[in-house]
Amino acid sequence: MSTHIEKCGAFVLKAAACGLTALVLSTPAFAQRTQLRPGWNLFSVDQDIAVGKQNAVGAERQLPMCNAPKVDAYLTQLGMRLVAHLDTHGAQYPWEFHCVNDRAINAFALPGGYVFVNRGAIEAADNEAQLAGVMAHEISHVALRHGTNQASKAQLGQGLAGIAGGLFGGGVSGALLSQLGSFAVGGVLLRYSRTAETQADISGTQVLYDSGYDPRAMAQFFEKLEAETKGKNPPEFFSDHPSPDHRVERVDEEIQKLGGPPPNAKRDSQEFEAAKREVMNLPVIKKPVPGVQGATRGISKPAPPSSNYSSFDATGFTMKYPDNWKKYGDQNSVAFAPDGGVGNDSSGHGALAYGITVGTSQLQNANSGNALDTATQQLISGLQQSNPNMKITRQSSRVRLNNVPALSTYLTNDSPVGGQETDWIITVVRPEGLVYFVCTAPQAEYSNYDKTFGNILDSVRFK
Ligand SMILES: [Zn+2]
C-alpha cells in the first residue's frame, strides 16, 4: 500500500513537471524575452526631453533637411507604429521623426524622442522591415535613455566636483544641462557604448517582432552595410553605433526566445517604396556639406589650392586633392574644400562655394545602352529642381575619365558667396552607380581653379 502511494506521488510530481515544461514552451514570448531597463542617470525624463528638444532645434538648423512633407509623414506613421510596441518604462515622449537630406547611411535619435533618419538609410534599405529595424533600434536608445546615460557617465569621468551641486541639489546642474544643449553630430549624446548597442538591438528586435515585422530585418540590414563596405569606409552609422561582437548571433538568439520569426511577417509596403522613390529624386549635391557645423557667413577668399596632393580612397576609386583642402562627409557623398570654401545657402545651411563634391547615385536602368546619358540628365534635373537658377551653359560632351566613358557638363548657379558660380560636372557609370564629380568655384575666380580641378580628375583611378 505504502509503495503504491509512493509511486503515485512520483507520478504526480513528474506530470506536474511535464505540464510546467509544456506551459513554458507554449508561451516563450512572455516567459523568456530579455528584460531591459534604463541604466544609471543623472537626468530626469523631463530633462531628457528638454535636452533633446534643444538639440533637435539645433540639428534642424545645421543639417540639410529633406523638406519632403510626405516622407516626414511616412516616417512619423512608421515610427509611431513601432513606438506603440516600445516599452518606455512609463515615460511619455513627444516623438518626432524627420528626414535628413544626407546620403550618408545613418540615423540618430536624441534623448526625449527626436528621431532623424538620413535619406541614405531609406535609399539603402531593401524594404520597409529593414528601415523599421533601424528606427526600432533608434527609438530603443530613447526608451533605454542611453544618450543621457552616456552623458552622466562622461560627467562622472570628469570628476564628481562638477556635478556635486547637481547631485546634492536633487537635479542636474545647469552647467551640465547647458553643456549638452548645443547639437553636435557625434556628440556625447549620440556616442553609444557596445553594451548600449546590444541593448538597442535586443529591444529593437522585440519591437519589430511585436509590430509584426520580420525581426531578422534589422540585423540583416546591418550585415548588408558591413558586407558592402567590407570594413573599409564603414557607413557613418557605425561610428555612432559601434558594432558589438556577435551582433547577428545575439539578435538571432532573441528571435528564438520570442518563438522564432512570426509567420506572414510584414516585410514591405507600397508606402515605403513611394517614400524611397521620393527621396531618390531629392537633389543630391547642393546640400549642406556634411560635417560642417556653423559654417561661417561672409566667407573670405580661400588660399590658392596647394600643388601638393593628398590621397582619398573611396569604395570604387582613388583620387587626389590639394593637401590644403579639407575632406567633409563620408564615402557616399564627400566634399573637398579649402578653409573658407564653405558658406551658408539662403536657408542657412552649409553650402560649397569652392571645391569638389564627389558622390554616387543609384542607377535606375544600369544595363540599358544609354544609362550614362539618362542618369546624367536625371542628376541634373534633380539639381535644377532645388536650384531654380541653375542652368546648363555647355551641353554634355563625351570625355573619358581614367579611360572610362564619361560625360562633361557645365552649369551656372547662384554662388553662396554672391554672384554666379560655375559647376563642372563629370559623370561616369560604375558598378556602384552613377559616380559624379562636381567642381565648383565662383565664376569670376573659376580660371584660378580650372587647373586644380583638371589635376584632381586626372588622378582618378577606378578599381
Ligand atoms: Zn545604436
Side-chain angles (χ1 to χ4, degrees), residues 137-138 141 192 197 200 237 240-241 247:
H137 177 102
E138 294 299 335
H141 279 310
Y192 303 117
E197 283 309 301
F237 184 84
D240 291 340
H241 305 264
R247 173 166 235 165

Side-chain angles (χ1 to χ4, degrees), residues 137-257:
H137 177 102
E138 294 299 335
I139 62 174
S140 297
H141 279 310
V142 173
L144 292 163
R145 306 186 59 208
H146 286 148
T148 48
N149 170 252
Q150 294 290 128
S152 302
K153 286 191 278 194
Q155 191 65 21
L156 193 66
Q158 283 168 21
L160 274 167
I163 53 164
L167 275 182
F168 296 114
V172 180
S173 72
L176 175 53
L177 270 177
S178 65
Q179 256 178 48
L180 294 172
S182 58
F183 173 73
V185 180
V188 67
L189 293 173
L190 300 175
R191 222 178 294 125
Y192 303 117
S193 65
R194 287 190 159 76
T195 309
E197 283 309 301
T198 299
Q199 291 184 353
D201 282 352
I202 292 170
S203 162
T205 300
Q206 294 172 348
V207 169
L208 274 185
Y209 179 89
D210 293 340
S211 310
Y213 285 101
D214 186 334
R216 295 164 300 189
M218 178 182 60
Q220 279 166 357
F221 185 64
F222 294 154
E223 262 189 321
K224 177 187 139 152
L225 294 189
E226 277 184 345
E228 273 177 11
T229 54
K230 296 179 193 79
K232 222 163 107 188
N233 287 322
E236 210 172 276
F237 184 84
F238 293 123
S239 57
D240 291 340
H241 305 264
S243 261
D245 290 339
H246 313 295
R247 173 166 235 165
V248 176
E249 290 87 336
R250 185 62 191 84
V251 167
D252 284 344
E253 202 180 297
E254 191 64 25
I255 294 170
Q256 288 317 308
K257 289 183 185 180

Side-chain angles (χ1 to χ4, degrees), residues 271-316:
E271 291 80 7
F272 168 77
E273 296 301 334
K276 183 168 170 173
R277 271 197 303 277
E278 192 167 343
V279 293
M280 282 174 74
N281 285 325
L282 288 172
V284 279
I285 300 170
K286 285 291 157 187
K287 60 168 198 177
V289 178
V292 177
Q293 285 157 35
T296 47
R297 200 175 274 283
I299 332 174
S300 54
K301 208 177 267 194
S306 162
S307 51
N308 294 320
Y309 286 77
S310 302
S311 298
F312 171 62
D313 195 356
T315 309

Side-chain angles (χ1 to χ4, degrees), residues 79-422:
M80 294 312 291
R81 202 183 303 151
L82 299 169
V83 163
H85 299 279
L86 176 73
D87 182 1
T88 60
H89 308 279
Q92 291 274 350
Y93 294 111
W95 297 98
E96 282 182 18
F97 298 87
H98 303 276
C99 173
V100 183
N101 189 355
D102 185 339
R103 303 200 71 230
I105 301 167
N106 205 356
F108 65 89
L110 292 163
Y114 303 87
V115 183
F116 293 77
V117 180
N118 279 5
R119 65 179 287 188
I122 302 172
E123 287 171 318
D126 293 328
N127 51 49
E128 182 168 88
Q130 290 188 355
L131 177 62
V134 174
M135 291 173 70
H137 177 102
E138 294 299 335
I139 62 174
S140 297
H141 279 310
V142 173
L144 292 163
R145 306 186 59 208
H146 286 148
T148 48
N149 170 252
Q150 294 290 128
S152 302
K153 286 191 278 194
Q155 191 65 21
L156 193 66
Q158 283 168 21
L160 274 167
I163 53 164
L167 275 182
F168 296 114
V172 180
S173 72
L176 175 53
L177 270 177
S178 65
Q179 256 178 48
L180 294 172
S182 58
F183 173 73
V185 180
V188 67
L189 293 173
L190 300 175
R191 222 178 294 125
Y192 303 117
S193 65
R194 287 190 159 76
T195 309
E197 283 309 301
T198 299
Q199 291 184 353
D201 282 352
I202 292 170
S203 162
T205 300
Q206 294 172 348
V207 169
L208 274 185
Y209 179 89
D210 293 340
S211 310
Y213 285 101
D214 186 334
R216 295 164 300 189
M218 178 182 60
Q220 279 166 357
F221 185 64
F222 294 154
E223 262 189 321
K224 177 187 139 152
L225 294 189
E226 277 184 345
E228 273 177 11
T229 54
K230 296 179 193 79
K232 222 163 107 188
N233 287 322
E236 210 172 276
F237 184 84
F238 293 123
S239 57
D240 291 340
H241 305 264
S243 261
D245 290 339
H246 313 295
R247 173 166 235 165
V248 176
E249 290 87 336
R250 185 62 191 84
V251 167
D252 284 344
E253 202 180 297
E254 191 64 25
I255 294 170
Q256 288 317 308
K257 289 183 185 180
L258 294 167
N264 310 319
K266 193 169 159 65
R267 291 190 63 78
D268 211 356
S269 75
Q270 286 186 349
E271 291 80 7
F272 168 77
E273 296 301 334
K276 183 168 170 173
R277 271 197 303 277
E278 192 167 343
V279 293
M280 282 174 74
N281 285 325
L282 288 172
V284 279
I285 300 170
K286 285 291 157 187
K287 60 168 198 177
V289 178
V292 177
Q293 285 157 35
T296 47
R297 200 175 274 283
I299 332 174
S300 54
K301 208 177 267 194
S306 162
S307 51
N308 294 320
Y309 286 77
S310 302
S311 298
F312 171 62
D313 195 356
T315 309
F317 60 91
T318 60
M319 60 173 266
K320 296 191 186 325
Y321 61 96
D323 69 357
N324 64 341
W325 288 12
K326 274 191 201 133
K327 173 177 165 281
Y328 301 96
D330 69 7
Q331 95 278 4
N332 277 298
S333 177
V334 58
F336 302 91
D339 267 339
V342 179
N344 285 331
D345 67 10
S346 52
S347 53
H349 293 137
L352 192 79
Y354 300 81
I356 182 166
T357 311
V358 184
T360 308
S361 64
Q362 220 161 314
L363 281 177
Q364 311 280 1
N365 301 305
N367 297 321
S368 83
N370 57 356
L372 176 59
D373 300 73
T374 315
T376 302
Q377 277 162 21
Q378 277 171 357
L379 177 76
I380 291 172
S381 52
L383 286 171
Q384 287 175 321
Q385 266 176 24
S386 64
N387 297 273
N389 293 331
M390 195 171 216
K391 292 182 183 69
I392 295 178
T393 52
R394 219 185 291 172
Q395 290 295 335
S396 301
S397 59
R398 300 202 176 272
V399 294
R400 295 185 87 81
L401 187 66
N402 186 212
N403 270 326
V404 177
L407 282 183
S408 157
T409 315
Y410 283 87
L411 300 101
T412 58
N413 191 24
D414 295 336
S415 170
V417 294
Q420 290 290 295
E421 70 181 19
T422 298

